[in-house]
Amino acid sequence: MPDDPAGDDAGRSASAEHSSASSEATDGTDSSDMSDPASPVPPDPRTVDPDATPPSGTKLCVACRAGRVDSDGYCENCGHAQPRERDHMEEELAAVAAVSDRGLRHHRNEDAFALSSAALPDGSPAVVAIVCDGVSSATRPDEASEAAADAANESLPAALERGTHPQQAMHDAILAASEAVNALAQEPGRATAHDTPRHQNAPACTIVGSVVANGLLIVGWVGDSRAYWVPDDRTFASARLTEDDSWAAQMVAAGLMNEVQAYADERAHAITGWLGADAYELEPHTASYKPDRSGVVVVCTDGLWNYAESVEEMARVLPPDAAQRPLHAAQVLVGHALDGGGHDNVTVAVVPFAVPPRGAGSAQDKA
Protein backbone atom coordinates (compact mmCIF):
# COMPACT_ATOMS: atom_id res chain seq x y z
CA MET A 1 0.00 0.00 0.00
CA PRO A 2 1.39 3.44 -0.79
CA ASP A 3 2.61 5.53 2.14
CA ASP A 4 0.83 8.75 3.05
CA PRO A 5 2.41 11.45 0.86
CA ALA A 6 4.37 14.01 2.86
CA GLY A 7 2.84 17.37 3.25
CA ASP A 8 -0.59 16.23 2.11
CA ASP A 9 -2.37 18.05 4.92
CA ALA A 10 -0.17 21.12 4.60
CA GLY A 11 -0.87 21.36 0.90
CA ARG A 12 -4.55 21.70 1.63
CA SER A 13 -4.21 24.27 4.45
CA ALA A 14 -6.33 27.33 4.01
CA SER A 15 -4.37 30.57 3.63
CA ALA A 16 -7.15 33.06 4.30
CA GLU A 17 -5.97 36.14 6.19
CA HIS A 18 -8.34 37.67 8.71
CA SER A 19 -8.39 41.48 8.45
CA SER A 20 -9.80 44.12 10.76
CA ALA A 21 -12.58 46.39 9.58
CA SER A 22 -11.78 49.08 12.17
CA SER A 23 -8.82 50.65 10.37
CA GLU A 24 -9.31 54.01 8.60
CA ALA A 25 -8.38 54.72 4.97
CA THR A 26 -5.88 57.52 4.32
CA ASP A 27 -8.63 59.72 2.87
CA GLY A 28 -10.69 59.37 6.04
CA THR A 29 -13.12 56.87 4.47
CA ASP A 30 -14.03 53.78 6.50
CA SER A 31 -12.12 50.93 4.82
CA SER A 32 -15.05 48.58 5.36
CA ASP A 33 -16.91 50.56 2.71
CA MET A 34 -14.23 49.51 0.22
CA SER A 35 -14.44 45.74 0.94
CA ASP A 36 -15.49 43.36 -1.79
CA PRO A 37 -18.87 41.88 -0.84
CA ALA A 38 -18.18 38.94 -3.17
CA SER A 39 -15.21 37.81 -1.04
CA PRO A 40 -16.54 36.91 2.43
CA VAL A 41 -13.93 36.30 5.12
CA PRO A 42 -14.01 32.76 6.58
CA PRO A 43 -15.05 32.61 10.24
CA ASP A 44 -12.26 32.70 12.79
CA PRO A 45 -12.37 29.34 14.60
CA ARG A 46 -11.19 31.07 17.78
CA THR A 47 -14.34 33.19 17.97
CA VAL A 48 -16.96 31.09 16.16
CA ASP A 49 -19.94 30.05 18.21
CA PRO A 50 -19.53 26.26 18.66
CA ASP A 51 -23.25 25.91 19.28
CA ALA A 52 -24.31 27.67 16.09
CA THR A 53 -26.51 25.41 14.01
CA PRO A 54 -24.99 24.76 10.55
CA PRO A 55 -27.16 24.32 7.48
CA SER A 56 -28.83 20.93 7.26
CA GLY A 57 -26.46 18.26 5.92
CA THR A 58 -23.30 20.29 6.54
CA LYS A 59 -20.36 18.33 7.93
CA LEU A 60 -18.14 20.49 10.15
CA CYS A 61 -14.44 20.06 10.90
CA VAL A 62 -13.64 18.14 14.09
CA ALA A 63 -10.65 20.43 14.71
CA CYS A 64 -11.81 24.03 14.22
CA ARG A 65 -15.55 23.25 14.37
CA ALA A 66 -16.16 26.03 11.86
CA GLY A 67 -15.08 24.97 8.39
CA ARG A 68 -17.06 22.71 6.13
CA VAL A 69 -15.50 19.38 5.13
CA ASP A 70 -14.92 18.99 1.39
CA SER A 71 -15.45 15.85 -0.66
CA ASP A 72 -11.81 14.80 -0.14
CA GLY A 73 -12.21 14.81 3.64
CA TYR A 74 -10.38 18.06 4.43
CA CYS A 75 -11.60 21.19 6.21
CA GLU A 76 -12.13 24.14 3.85
CA ASN A 77 -11.23 26.52 6.69
CA CYS A 78 -8.19 25.07 8.49
CA GLY A 79 -7.17 22.24 6.12
CA HIS A 80 -7.32 19.57 8.82
CA ALA A 81 -7.76 16.00 7.51
CA GLN A 82 -10.90 14.48 8.98
CA PRO A 83 -10.90 10.97 10.47
CA ARG A 84 -12.41 8.45 8.07
CA GLU A 85 -14.99 5.96 9.19
CA ARG A 86 -12.74 3.08 8.14
CA ASP A 87 -9.62 4.37 9.90
CA HIS A 88 -10.62 2.31 12.93
CA MET A 89 -13.59 -0.07 13.10
CA GLU A 90 -14.78 -2.44 15.81
CA GLU A 91 -17.74 -4.82 15.90
CA GLU A 92 -18.97 -7.50 18.25
CA LEU A 93 -21.77 -9.85 17.23
CA ALA A 94 -22.87 -12.66 19.53
CA ALA A 95 -19.84 -14.94 19.82
CA VAL A 96 -17.55 -13.21 17.33
CA ALA A 97 -15.74 -9.87 17.19
CA ALA A 98 -13.45 -7.99 14.81
CA VAL A 99 -11.23 -4.90 14.82
CA SER A 100 -9.65 -3.11 11.86
CA ASP A 101 -7.19 -0.23 11.95
CA ARG A 102 -5.49 1.91 9.30
CA GLY A 103 -2.10 1.43 10.95
CA LEU A 104 0.58 4.07 11.39
CA ARG A 105 2.04 4.39 7.89
CA HIS A 106 -0.83 4.51 5.40
CA HIS A 107 -3.26 7.20 4.31
CA ARG A 108 -6.33 4.93 4.31
CA ASN A 109 -7.55 1.56 5.51
CA GLU A 110 -7.74 -0.87 2.58
CA ASP A 111 -8.84 -3.80 4.76
CA ALA A 112 -12.46 -4.77 5.40
CA PHE A 113 -14.36 -7.30 7.49
CA ALA A 114 -17.90 -8.58 7.90
CA LEU A 115 -19.55 -10.60 10.66
CA SER A 116 -22.89 -12.41 10.71
CA SER A 117 -24.84 -15.24 12.27
CA ALA A 118 -27.37 -17.66 10.84
CA ALA A 119 -29.71 -20.43 11.92
CA LEU A 120 -29.24 -23.80 10.26
CA PRO A 121 -32.32 -25.78 9.19
CA ASP A 122 -32.15 -27.79 12.46
CA GLY A 123 -32.22 -24.53 14.43
CA SER A 124 -28.59 -24.65 15.55
CA PRO A 125 -26.54 -21.45 15.23
CA ALA A 126 -23.75 -20.66 12.79
CA VAL A 127 -21.25 -17.81 13.06
CA VAL A 128 -19.46 -16.23 10.09
CA ALA A 129 -16.38 -13.99 9.93
CA ILE A 130 -14.91 -12.61 6.70
CA VAL A 131 -11.68 -10.58 6.42
CA CYS A 132 -10.35 -9.02 3.19
CA ASP A 133 -7.17 -7.09 2.34
CA GLY A 134 -7.09 -4.77 -0.67
CA VAL A 135 -4.15 -5.25 -3.05
CA SER A 136 -2.31 -1.92 -2.95
CA SER A 137 -0.78 -2.29 -6.40
CA ALA A 138 -4.32 -2.24 -7.82
CA THR A 139 -6.63 0.73 -8.12
CA ARG A 140 -9.39 1.22 -5.50
CA PRO A 141 -8.22 -1.57 -3.20
CA ASP A 142 -10.40 -0.25 -0.38
CA GLU A 143 -13.49 -0.67 -2.54
CA ALA A 144 -12.40 -4.17 -3.57
CA SER A 145 -12.01 -5.41 -0.01
CA GLU A 146 -15.33 -3.92 1.08
CA ALA A 147 -17.20 -5.36 -1.92
CA ALA A 148 -15.71 -8.81 -1.35
CA ALA A 149 -16.45 -8.87 2.38
CA ASP A 150 -20.03 -7.72 1.87
CA ALA A 151 -20.72 -10.19 -0.94
CA ALA A 152 -19.29 -13.18 0.93
CA ASN A 153 -21.12 -12.19 4.09
CA GLU A 154 -24.40 -12.00 2.18
CA SER A 155 -23.89 -15.32 0.41
CA LEU A 156 -22.72 -17.45 3.35
CA PRO A 157 -25.58 -17.03 5.86
CA ALA A 158 -28.19 -17.41 3.13
CA ALA A 159 -26.64 -20.68 1.94
CA LEU A 160 -26.30 -22.02 5.48
CA GLU A 161 -29.94 -21.29 6.23
CA ARG A 162 -30.93 -23.21 3.08
CA GLY A 163 -29.05 -26.25 4.38
CA THR A 164 -25.97 -26.04 2.14
CA HIS A 165 -22.98 -27.79 3.69
CA PRO A 166 -20.76 -25.14 5.33
CA GLN A 167 -17.72 -26.06 3.25
CA GLN A 168 -19.66 -25.75 -0.02
CA ALA A 169 -21.25 -22.54 1.25
CA MET A 170 -17.77 -21.12 1.90
CA HIS A 171 -16.61 -22.07 -1.60
CA ASP A 172 -19.65 -20.42 -3.17
CA ALA A 173 -19.24 -17.32 -1.01
CA ILE A 174 -15.69 -16.81 -2.28
CA LEU A 175 -16.97 -17.05 -5.84
CA ALA A 176 -19.64 -14.45 -5.02
CA ALA A 177 -16.96 -12.20 -3.54
CA SER A 178 -14.89 -12.61 -6.71
CA GLU A 179 -17.83 -11.59 -8.88
CA ALA A 180 -18.38 -8.48 -6.74
CA VAL A 181 -14.75 -7.41 -7.14
CA ASN A 182 -14.80 -8.16 -10.87
CA ALA A 183 -17.80 -5.88 -11.25
CA LEU A 184 -15.77 -2.92 -9.95
CA ALA A 185 -13.55 -3.14 -13.02
CA GLN A 186 -16.60 -2.21 -15.11
CA GLU A 187 -16.96 1.10 -13.23
CA PRO A 188 -14.26 3.46 -14.65
CA GLY A 189 -13.53 6.95 -13.47
CA ARG A 190 -13.75 6.34 -9.73
CA ALA A 191 -10.04 6.24 -8.94
CA THR A 192 -8.79 8.71 -6.33
CA ALA A 193 -5.73 10.94 -6.24
CA HIS A 194 -3.94 8.20 -4.30
CA ASP A 195 -4.38 5.77 -7.21
CA THR A 196 -1.56 6.94 -9.45
CA PRO A 197 -1.60 6.15 -13.20
CA ARG A 198 0.63 3.14 -12.71
CA HIS A 199 -2.05 1.72 -10.40
CA GLN A 200 -4.92 1.94 -12.88
CA ASN A 201 -5.38 -1.82 -13.11
CA ALA A 202 -8.37 -3.84 -11.95
CA PRO A 203 -9.40 -3.62 -8.26
CA ALA A 204 -8.23 -6.65 -6.30
CA CYS A 205 -8.09 -8.10 -2.79
CA THR A 206 -7.43 -11.22 -0.75
CA ILE A 207 -10.07 -13.00 1.32
CA VAL A 208 -10.18 -15.36 4.29
CA GLY A 209 -13.26 -16.53 6.11
CA SER A 210 -14.36 -18.79 8.93
CA VAL A 211 -17.64 -20.53 9.73
CA VAL A 212 -18.43 -22.27 13.01
CA ALA A 213 -21.48 -24.52 12.68
CA ASN A 214 -22.67 -27.87 14.06
CA GLY A 215 -19.34 -28.73 15.64
CA LEU A 216 -17.45 -27.98 12.43
CA LEU A 217 -14.87 -25.30 11.79
CA ILE A 218 -14.70 -24.26 8.14
CA VAL A 219 -12.12 -21.91 6.64
CA GLY A 220 -11.79 -20.60 3.10
CA TRP A 221 -9.29 -18.29 1.48
CA VAL A 222 -7.59 -16.85 -1.57
CA GLY A 223 -4.36 -14.89 -1.11
CA ASP A 224 -2.18 -14.46 1.96
CA SER A 225 -4.68 -13.52 4.64
CA ARG A 226 -4.66 -16.25 7.28
CA ALA A 227 -6.62 -18.22 9.88
CA TYR A 228 -5.00 -19.65 13.03
CA TRP A 229 -6.36 -22.15 15.55
CA VAL A 230 -5.45 -21.52 19.20
CA PRO A 231 -6.88 -23.93 21.81
CA ASP A 232 -8.10 -22.58 25.13
CA ASP A 233 -5.69 -24.95 26.86
CA ARG A 234 -2.35 -23.65 25.64
CA THR A 235 -0.59 -26.88 26.63
CA PHE A 236 -2.03 -28.25 23.37
CA ALA A 237 -0.57 -27.20 20.03
CA SER A 238 -1.88 -24.29 17.99
CA ALA A 239 -2.05 -24.52 14.20
CA ARG A 240 -2.22 -22.44 11.07
CA LEU A 241 -5.34 -23.43 9.11
CA THR A 242 -4.51 -21.75 5.79
CA GLU A 243 -1.67 -21.85 3.28
CA ASP A 244 -0.58 -18.62 1.62
CA ASP A 245 -0.97 -17.98 -2.08
CA SER A 246 2.42 -16.28 -2.24
CA TRP A 247 5.88 -16.49 -3.75
CA ALA A 248 7.36 -17.58 -0.43
CA ALA A 249 4.85 -20.39 0.02
CA GLN A 250 5.56 -21.63 -3.51
CA MET A 251 9.30 -21.72 -2.82
CA VAL A 252 8.77 -23.71 0.38
CA ALA A 253 6.30 -26.09 -1.27
CA ALA A 254 8.73 -26.74 -4.11
CA GLY A 255 11.52 -27.49 -1.65
CA LEU A 256 13.68 -24.68 -3.03
CA MET A 257 13.89 -22.81 0.28
CA ASN A 258 12.99 -23.37 3.89
CA GLU A 259 10.39 -21.09 5.46
CA VAL A 260 12.93 -18.82 7.15
CA GLN A 261 14.82 -18.27 3.89
CA ALA A 262 11.67 -17.74 1.82
CA TYR A 263 10.08 -15.18 4.10
CA ALA A 264 13.35 -13.27 4.42
CA ASP A 265 13.39 -12.69 0.65
CA GLU A 266 12.12 -9.36 -0.66
CA ARG A 267 9.72 -11.26 -2.94
CA ALA A 268 8.16 -13.17 -0.04
CA HIS A 269 4.86 -11.30 0.05
CA ALA A 270 4.21 -11.24 -3.70
CA ILE A 271 0.83 -12.95 -3.86
CA THR A 272 0.00 -15.57 -6.47
CA GLY A 273 -3.74 -15.68 -5.85
CA TRP A 274 -6.30 -12.90 -5.41
CA LEU A 275 -9.82 -11.80 -6.26
CA GLY A 276 -10.09 -9.44 -9.22
CA ALA A 277 -10.81 -9.21 -12.92
CA ASP A 278 -7.12 -9.68 -13.79
CA ALA A 279 -6.59 -12.65 -11.46
CA TYR A 280 -5.32 -15.95 -12.77
CA GLU A 281 -7.72 -18.88 -12.70
CA LEU A 282 -9.61 -18.57 -9.42
CA GLU A 283 -9.09 -21.53 -7.10
CA PRO A 284 -10.89 -21.02 -3.77
CA HIS A 285 -9.28 -23.01 -0.98
CA THR A 286 -11.51 -24.50 1.72
CA ALA A 287 -10.85 -26.76 4.68
CA SER A 288 -13.14 -28.42 7.21
CA TYR A 289 -12.00 -29.23 10.74
CA LYS A 290 -13.65 -30.91 13.72
CA PRO A 291 -11.62 -29.88 16.77
CA ASP A 292 -11.79 -32.14 19.83
CA ARG A 293 -11.32 -29.26 22.27
CA SER A 294 -12.47 -25.66 22.65
CA GLY A 295 -10.46 -22.76 21.32
CA VAL A 296 -10.60 -19.72 19.08
CA VAL A 297 -9.98 -19.00 15.42
CA VAL A 298 -7.93 -15.91 14.61
CA VAL A 299 -8.82 -14.65 11.11
CA CYS A 300 -6.46 -11.89 10.00
CA THR A 301 -4.63 -9.92 7.32
CA ASP A 302 -0.86 -9.84 6.99
CA GLY A 303 -0.91 -6.55 8.89
CA LEU A 304 -1.22 -8.72 11.99
CA TRP A 305 0.64 -11.89 11.15
CA ASN A 306 3.72 -9.98 10.04
CA TYR A 307 4.15 -9.27 13.76
CA ALA A 308 3.15 -12.78 14.96
CA GLU A 309 3.90 -15.08 12.07
CA SER A 310 4.43 -18.43 13.75
CA VAL A 311 1.65 -20.30 15.51
CA GLU A 312 3.64 -20.08 18.74
CA GLU A 313 3.86 -16.28 18.48
CA MET A 314 0.16 -15.95 17.72
CA ALA A 315 -0.76 -18.13 20.69
CA ARG A 316 1.54 -16.13 22.94
CA VAL A 317 0.04 -12.76 21.94
CA LEU A 318 -3.61 -13.90 22.09
CA PRO A 319 -5.09 -13.28 25.58
CA PRO A 320 -5.93 -16.47 27.50
CA ASP A 321 -9.57 -15.38 27.91
CA ALA A 322 -10.08 -14.78 24.18
CA ALA A 323 -13.04 -17.18 24.00
CA GLN A 324 -14.88 -15.24 26.71
CA ARG A 325 -13.82 -11.77 25.53
CA PRO A 326 -13.35 -11.91 21.74
CA LEU A 327 -13.55 -8.13 21.21
CA HIS A 328 -10.90 -7.49 23.85
CA ALA A 329 -8.74 -10.19 22.26
CA ALA A 330 -9.07 -8.58 18.82
CA GLN A 331 -8.17 -5.19 20.31
CA VAL A 332 -5.07 -6.69 21.94
CA LEU A 333 -3.94 -8.29 18.69
CA VAL A 334 -4.37 -5.06 16.71
CA GLY A 335 -2.52 -3.21 19.46
CA HIS A 336 0.32 -5.70 19.18
CA ALA A 337 0.69 -4.92 15.47
CA LEU A 338 0.58 -1.16 16.08
CA ASP A 339 3.15 -1.44 18.87
CA GLY A 340 5.35 -3.37 16.46
CA GLY A 341 5.34 -0.49 13.98
CA GLY A 342 1.93 -0.64 12.31
CA HIS A 343 3.49 -0.63 8.83
CA ASP A 344 0.31 -1.96 7.23
CA ASN A 345 -3.43 -1.89 7.76
CA VAL A 346 -4.32 -4.51 10.35
CA THR A 347 -7.56 -6.45 10.67
CA VAL A 348 -8.44 -9.41 12.87
CA ALA A 349 -11.58 -11.35 13.75
CA VAL A 350 -11.69 -13.64 16.78
CA VAL A 351 -14.14 -16.54 16.52
CA PRO A 352 -14.62 -18.76 19.60
CA PHE A 353 -15.23 -22.48 19.02
CA ALA A 354 -16.91 -24.50 21.77
CA VAL A 355 -16.84 -28.28 21.57
CA PRO A 356 -20.39 -29.71 21.47
CA PRO A 357 -21.44 -31.67 24.57
CA ARG A 358 -21.10 -34.97 22.73
CA GLY A 359 -17.47 -34.32 21.82
CA ALA A 360 -15.75 -35.84 18.84
CA GLY A 361 -12.34 -36.84 17.62
CA SER A 362 -10.47 -34.41 15.42
CA ALA A 363 -10.67 -34.80 11.68
CA GLN A 364 -10.23 -32.62 8.66
CA ASP A 365 -11.07 -32.57 5.00
CA LYS A 366 -9.39 -30.14 2.64
CA ALA A 367 -10.45 -29.04 -0.82
Short mmCIF file of all heavy atoms in Angstrom, two decimals, residues 249-279:
data_model
loop_
_atom_site.label_atom_id
_atom_site.label_comp_id
_atom_site.label_asym_id
_atom_site.label_seq_id
_atom_site.Cartn_x
_atom_site.Cartn_y
_atom_site.Cartn_z
N ALA A 249 5.47 -19.08 -0.19
CA ALA A 249 4.85 -20.39 0.02
C ALA A 249 5.17 -21.34 -1.14
O ALA A 249 5.37 -22.54 -0.93
CB ALA A 249 3.34 -20.22 0.17
N GLN A 250 5.22 -20.80 -2.35
CA GLN A 250 5.56 -21.63 -3.51
C GLN A 250 6.98 -22.15 -3.41
O GLN A 250 7.26 -23.31 -3.74
CB GLN A 250 5.37 -20.84 -4.79
CG GLN A 250 3.93 -20.65 -5.22
CD GLN A 250 3.80 -20.07 -6.62
OE1 GLN A 250 4.74 -19.45 -7.14
NE2 GLN A 250 2.65 -20.25 -7.23
N MET A 251 7.90 -21.30 -2.96
CA MET A 251 9.30 -21.72 -2.82
C MET A 251 9.44 -22.83 -1.78
O MET A 251 10.17 -23.81 -1.98
CB MET A 251 10.17 -20.53 -2.43
CG MET A 251 10.30 -19.45 -3.49
SD MET A 251 11.03 -20.04 -5.07
CE MET A 251 9.55 -20.20 -6.08
N VAL A 252 8.71 -22.69 -0.68
CA VAL A 252 8.77 -23.71 0.38
C VAL A 252 8.14 -25.01 -0.12
O VAL A 252 8.68 -26.10 0.08
CB VAL A 252 8.05 -23.21 1.65
CG1 VAL A 252 7.99 -24.32 2.70
CG2 VAL A 252 8.77 -21.99 2.22
N ALA A 253 6.99 -24.90 -0.78
CA ALA A 253 6.30 -26.09 -1.27
C ALA A 253 7.13 -26.85 -2.30
O ALA A 253 7.09 -28.08 -2.37
CB ALA A 253 4.95 -25.70 -1.87
N ALA A 254 7.90 -26.11 -3.08
CA ALA A 254 8.73 -26.74 -4.11
C ALA A 254 10.04 -27.27 -3.55
O ALA A 254 10.81 -27.92 -4.27
CB ALA A 254 9.02 -25.73 -5.22
N GLY A 255 10.29 -27.03 -2.27
CA GLY A 255 11.52 -27.49 -1.65
C GLY A 255 12.75 -26.70 -2.03
O GLY A 255 13.88 -27.14 -1.80
N LEU A 256 12.55 -25.51 -2.60
CA LEU A 256 13.68 -24.68 -3.03
C LEU A 256 14.25 -23.83 -1.90
O LEU A 256 15.40 -23.39 -1.97
CB LEU A 256 13.24 -23.77 -4.18
CG LEU A 256 12.74 -24.50 -5.43
CD1 LEU A 256 12.25 -23.50 -6.47
CD2 LEU A 256 13.85 -25.37 -6.01
N MET A 257 13.45 -23.58 -0.88
CA MET A 257 13.89 -22.81 0.28
C MET A 257 13.15 -23.33 1.51
O MET A 257 12.06 -23.89 1.40
CB MET A 257 13.54 -21.31 0.13
CG MET A 257 14.29 -20.55 -0.94
SD MET A 257 13.79 -18.79 -0.90
CE MET A 257 14.89 -18.12 -2.14
N ASN A 258 13.76 -23.11 2.68
CA ASN A 258 12.99 -23.37 3.89
C ASN A 258 12.19 -22.12 4.21
O ASN A 258 12.36 -21.07 3.57
CB ASN A 258 13.89 -23.78 5.06
CG ASN A 258 14.89 -22.70 5.45
OD1 ASN A 258 14.58 -21.50 5.44
ND2 ASN A 258 16.11 -23.11 5.81
N GLU A 259 11.31 -22.20 5.19
CA GLU A 259 10.39 -21.09 5.46
C GLU A 259 11.13 -19.83 5.88
O GLU A 259 10.76 -18.72 5.49
CB GLU A 259 9.38 -21.50 6.53
CG GLU A 259 8.19 -20.57 6.62
CD GLU A 259 7.03 -21.16 7.38
OE1 GLU A 259 6.23 -21.91 6.79
OE2 GLU A 259 6.93 -20.86 8.59
N VAL A 260 12.17 -19.98 6.68
CA VAL A 260 12.93 -18.82 7.15
C VAL A 260 13.57 -18.10 5.96
O VAL A 260 13.52 -16.87 5.85
CB VAL A 260 14.01 -19.25 8.16
CG1 VAL A 260 14.91 -18.05 8.51
CG2 VAL A 260 13.36 -19.80 9.43
N GLN A 261 14.19 -18.86 5.06
CA GLN A 261 14.82 -18.27 3.89
C GLN A 261 13.79 -17.59 2.98
O GLN A 261 14.01 -16.47 2.50
CB GLN A 261 15.56 -19.35 3.10
CG GLN A 261 16.75 -19.95 3.82
CD GLN A 261 17.29 -21.17 3.07
OE1 GLN A 261 16.53 -21.92 2.44
NE2 GLN A 261 18.59 -21.38 3.14
N ALA A 262 12.67 -18.27 2.74
CA ALA A 262 11.67 -17.74 1.82
C ALA A 262 11.07 -16.44 2.30
O ALA A 262 10.94 -15.47 1.54
CB ALA A 262 10.58 -18.78 1.61
N TYR A 263 10.73 -16.38 3.59
CA TYR A 263 10.08 -15.18 4.10
C TYR A 263 11.06 -14.04 4.38
O TYR A 263 10.65 -12.91 4.63
CB TYR A 263 9.24 -15.50 5.33
CG TYR A 263 7.91 -16.12 4.95
CD1 TYR A 263 7.74 -17.50 4.96
CD2 TYR A 263 6.85 -15.34 4.52
CE1 TYR A 263 6.54 -18.08 4.57
CE2 TYR A 263 5.65 -15.90 4.12
CZ TYR A 263 5.50 -17.27 4.15
OH TYR A 263 4.31 -17.84 3.75
N ALA A 264 12.35 -14.33 4.29
CA ALA A 264 13.35 -13.27 4.42
C ALA A 264 13.62 -12.61 3.08
O ALA A 264 14.22 -11.53 3.02
CB ALA A 264 14.65 -13.85 4.99
N ASP A 265 13.17 -13.23 1.99
CA ASP A 265 13.39 -12.69 0.65
C ASP A 265 12.45 -11.52 0.39
O ASP A 265 11.31 -11.50 0.86
CB ASP A 265 13.14 -13.80 -0.39
CG ASP A 265 13.64 -13.42 -1.77
OD1 ASP A 265 12.95 -12.62 -2.44
OD2 ASP A 265 14.69 -13.93 -2.17
N GLU A 266 12.93 -10.55 -0.37
CA GLU A 266 12.12 -9.36 -0.66
C GLU A 266 10.88 -9.70 -1.50
O GLU A 266 9.93 -8.92 -1.55
CB GLU A 266 12.95 -8.31 -1.38
CG GLU A 266 13.50 -8.75 -2.72
CD GLU A 266 14.35 -7.69 -3.40
OE1 GLU A 266 14.65 -6.67 -2.74
OE2 GLU A 266 14.71 -7.89 -4.57
N ARG A 267 10.88 -10.84 -2.15
CA ARG A 267 9.72 -11.26 -2.94
C ARG A 267 8.71 -12.07 -2.15
O ARG A 267 7.70 -12.52 -2.69
CB ARG A 267 10.21 -12.10 -4.13
CG ARG A 267 11.08 -11.35 -5.11
CD ARG A 267 11.82 -12.31 -6.04
NE ARG A 267 12.85 -13.06 -5.33
CZ ARG A 267 13.68 -13.94 -5.88
NH1 ARG A 267 13.57 -14.18 -7.19
NH2 ARG A 267 14.59 -14.57 -5.16
N ALA A 268 8.95 -12.26 -0.86
CA ALA A 268 8.16 -13.17 -0.04
C ALA A 268 6.66 -12.91 -0.12
O ALA A 268 5.86 -13.82 -0.24
CB ALA A 268 8.63 -13.12 1.41
N HIS A 269 6.28 -11.63 -0.06
CA HIS A 269 4.86 -11.30 0.05
C HIS A 269 4.18 -11.05 -1.30
O HIS A 269 3.02 -10.59 -1.33
CB HIS A 269 4.68 -10.09 0.97
CG HIS A 269 5.02 -10.40 2.40
ND1 HIS A 269 4.14 -11.05 3.24
CD2 HIS A 269 6.13 -10.16 3.13
CE1 HIS A 269 4.70 -11.20 4.43
NE2 HIS A 269 5.91 -10.66 4.39
N ALA A 270 4.86 -11.34 -2.39
CA ALA A 270 4.21 -11.24 -3.70
C ALA A 270 3.16 -12.34 -3.77
O ALA A 270 3.48 -13.52 -3.69
CB ALA A 270 5.24 -11.40 -4.80
N ILE A 271 1.89 -11.94 -3.90
CA ILE A 271 0.83 -12.95 -3.86
C ILE A 271 0.62 -13.58 -5.24
O ILE A 271 0.83 -12.94 -6.26
CB ILE A 271 -0.49 -12.37 -3.33
CG1 ILE A 271 -0.98 -11.20 -4.18
CG2 ILE A 271 -0.34 -11.96 -1.88
CD1 ILE A 271 -2.35 -10.68 -3.77
N THR A 272 0.23 -14.83 -5.23
CA THR A 272 0.00 -15.57 -6.47
C THR A 272 -1.47 -15.91 -6.67
O THR A 272 -1.85 -16.53 -7.66
CB THR A 272 0.82 -16.87 -6.47
OG1 THR A 272 0.46 -17.65 -5.31
CG2 THR A 272 2.31 -16.57 -6.42
N GLY A 273 -2.30 -15.48 -5.73
CA GLY A 273 -3.74 -15.68 -5.85
C GLY A 273 -4.47 -14.51 -5.24
O GLY A 273 -4.07 -14.00 -4.20
N TRP A 274 -5.53 -14.03 -5.92
CA TRP A 274 -6.30 -12.90 -5.41
C TRP A 274 -7.65 -12.87 -6.11
O TRP A 274 -7.88 -13.60 -7.09
CB TRP A 274 -5.55 -11.59 -5.64
CG TRP A 274 -5.28 -11.25 -7.08
CD1 TRP A 274 -6.09 -10.57 -7.95
CD2 TRP A 274 -4.11 -11.59 -7.83
NE1 TRP A 274 -5.50 -10.46 -9.18
CE2 TRP A 274 -4.28 -11.08 -9.15
CE3 TRP A 274 -2.93 -12.29 -7.53
CZ2 TRP A 274 -3.32 -11.24 -10.14
CZ3 TRP A 274 -1.98 -12.44 -8.52
CH2 TRP A 274 -2.17 -11.92 -9.81
N LEU A 275 -8.54 -12.04 -5.61
CA LEU A 275 -9.82 -11.80 -6.26
C LEU A 275 -9.70 -10.54 -7.09
O LEU A 275 -9.22 -9.52 -6.62
CB LEU A 275 -10.93 -11.61 -5.22
CG LEU A 275 -11.13 -12.70 -4.17
CD1 LEU A 275 -12.32 -12.36 -3.28
CD2 LEU A 275 -11.31 -14.06 -4.81
N GLY A 276 -10.17 -10.60 -8.35
CA GLY A 276 -10.09 -9.44 -9.22
C GLY A 276 -10.20 -9.86 -10.67
O GLY A 276 -9.92 -11.01 -11.03
N ALA A 277 -10.59 -8.90 -11.51
CA ALA A 277 -10.81 -9.21 -12.92
C ALA A 277 -9.55 -9.68 -13.63
O ALA A 277 -9.62 -10.40 -14.63
CB ALA A 277 -11.39 -7.99 -13.63
N ASP A 278 -8.36 -9.27 -13.14
CA ASP A 278 -7.12 -9.68 -13.79
C ASP A 278 -6.43 -10.83 -13.05
O ASP A 278 -5.26 -11.10 -13.27
CB ASP A 278 -6.17 -8.48 -13.94
CG ASP A 278 -5.78 -7.89 -12.59
OD1 ASP A 278 -6.33 -8.33 -11.56
OD2 ASP A 278 -4.92 -6.98 -12.57
N ALA A 279 -7.17 -11.52 -12.18
CA ALA A 279 -6.59 -12.65 -11.46
C ALA A 279 -6.40 -13.83 -12.41
O ALA A 279 -7.08 -13.95 -13.43
CB ALA A 279 -7.49 -13.06 -10.31
#
